[in-house]
Amino acid sequence: MNGERIGVFDSGVGGLTVMAKLARTFPAACFCYLGDNGNMPYGNLCADRIRELSLSALKRLAAEGVGVTAVACNTASLALEGTEEVDGMKLCRLRPHIPEALAGKRGVFFATAATAERAAEEGLLPASALSVALPTLAERVEKALLLGTFGREKGRLVGEMLGRITTDDPPAYLFLGCTHYLYLERELKKRLPLTVFLDGVEIICEKLIKNAILCSDINADGHRIKFIGEYAKVNEEIYRKYAVPATRD
Ligand code: DGL
């Protein structure tokens, strides 16, 4: 797999947080990022439309010669259920999963409307999980990042999330079922220090390990990450400014 990039796809900037985690987990790997920012939010669309938009974006990554792509979007991942490849490019999809040790405890699952609906239909969550759909949050996170107002707004966005649950008796776990919410993870952790945070990214890591895409070496053009699509520049800027710091411990 030398020289081959790992594709990373999201509806917008959310997947950049996943890419930052993957870049740390696989220090010798190279990546190719595509955000479909012009069509986000996916979370309020019907499954067929989400699938259609995702497939057309994924074809662009396949056309770049990418062999495996991490679908770093919970909404797209669930809409693509059953699709293992696009134009010969393998997919590693996110999937909500609560580890056994936490499944019996009281927890919260935050997600887009489409993901929350799908997770309920498919019985992906234990009965102890409170599923909370946040229909406008991903878009507001994306806008705040693009407009440079995220620093001012993150406290309010986190306050709104926590306003949907009881924090007097903190949940044992909180699953961030939309990759845009990962930008708020640090702030949430400050307010819920005893809660375990989950995001499902380890599922993608395990699949990449199975596909042996661990050390692709630096590509011929010398860049570790190639950003493609109309929003390449914007995504690159958000990655460096916000996504890498947001995912650092
Ligand atoms: N980041 C996407 C996810 O993980 C959702 C954002 C959107 O609604 O487009 O589900």
Side-chain angles (χ1 to χ4, degrees):
M1 291 294 176
N2 275 1
E4 194 169 292
R5 290 179 185 275
I6 297 171
V8 182
F9 163 66
D10 180 44
S11 62
V13 300
L16 296 168
T17 56
V18 175
M19 188 164 69
K21 289 187 179 197
L22 296 180
R24 265 204 313 276
T25 309
F26 305 119
C30 290
F31 300 90
C32 184
Y33 189 85
L34 176 62
D36 190 16
N37 311 61
N39 286 311
M40 87 81 60
Y42 279 14
N44 299 329
L45 303 173
C46 69
D48 284 349
R49 181 68 181 142
I50 297 167
R51 206 180 142 73
E52 185 187 5
L53 289 171
S54 304
L55 287 174
S56 111
L58 288 164
K59 280 175 184 289
R60 293 176 75 174
L61 278 164
E64 289 285 320
V66 168
V68 173
T69 280
V71 182
C73 175
N74 290 272
T75 309
S77 290
L78 290 185
L80 288 167
E81 193 100 317
T83 306
E84 303 304 330
E85 285 193 14
V86 171
D87 292 348
M89 176 181 76
K90 287 188 186 163
L91 302 185
C92 297
R93 287 176 279 108
L94 285 168
R95 193 175 167 81
H97 169 72
I98 313 296
E100 199 87 6
L102 290 168
K105 302 191 176 159
R106 199 174 50 81
V108 175
F109 177 72
F110 281 127
T112 64
T115 299
E117 192 183 315
R118 196 76 182 223
E121 273 168 16
E122 293 188 21
L124 300 179
L125 302 173
S128 55
L130 169 70
S131 177
V132 180
L134 300 165
T136 62
L137 188 68
E139 191 179 9
R140 285 191 296 150
V141 167
E142 174 117 358
K143 277 206 177 124
L145 290 166
L146 299 185
L147 296 172
T149 57
F150 184 73
R152 295 208 286 281
E153 286 188 36
K154 64 181 178 197
R156 186 152 48 87
L157 296 172
V158 161
E160 280 180 34
M161 286 176 98
L162 297 182
R164 300 287 305 273
I165 62 171
T166 324
T167 45
D168 301 344
D169 181 16
Y173 66 86
L174 202 155
F175 196 108
L176 297 175
C178 166
T179 52
H180 281 73
Y181 307 166
L182 298 183
Y183 289 97
L184 300 168
E185 188 172 350
R186 278 182 148 192
E187 203 65 27
L188 285 162
K189 280 182 174 164
K190 282 189 212 154
R191 307 219 199 161
L192 294 174
L194 301 177
T195 297
V196 176
F197 281 74
L198 305 168
D199 57 24
V201 175
E202 70 288 346
I203 291 185
I204 285 189
C205 293
E206 281 163 25
K207 287 186 190 161
L208 288 173
I209 289 169
K210 271 197 202 132
N211 281 288
I213 314 277
L214 304 178
C215 50
S216 48
D217 296 335
I218 296 301
N219 259 255
D221 62 12
H223 293 291
R224 187 167 186 219
I225 301 172
K226 183 174 177 185
F227 291 86
I228 63 164
E230 295 85 331
Y231 290 80
K233 274 216 154 60
V234 171
N235 286 328
E236 182 165 6
E237 208 180 299
I238 303 288
Y239 180 73
R240 304 208 189 289
K241 205 164 159 190
Y242 298 104
V244 176
T247 59
R248 233 180 252 139
D249 290 326

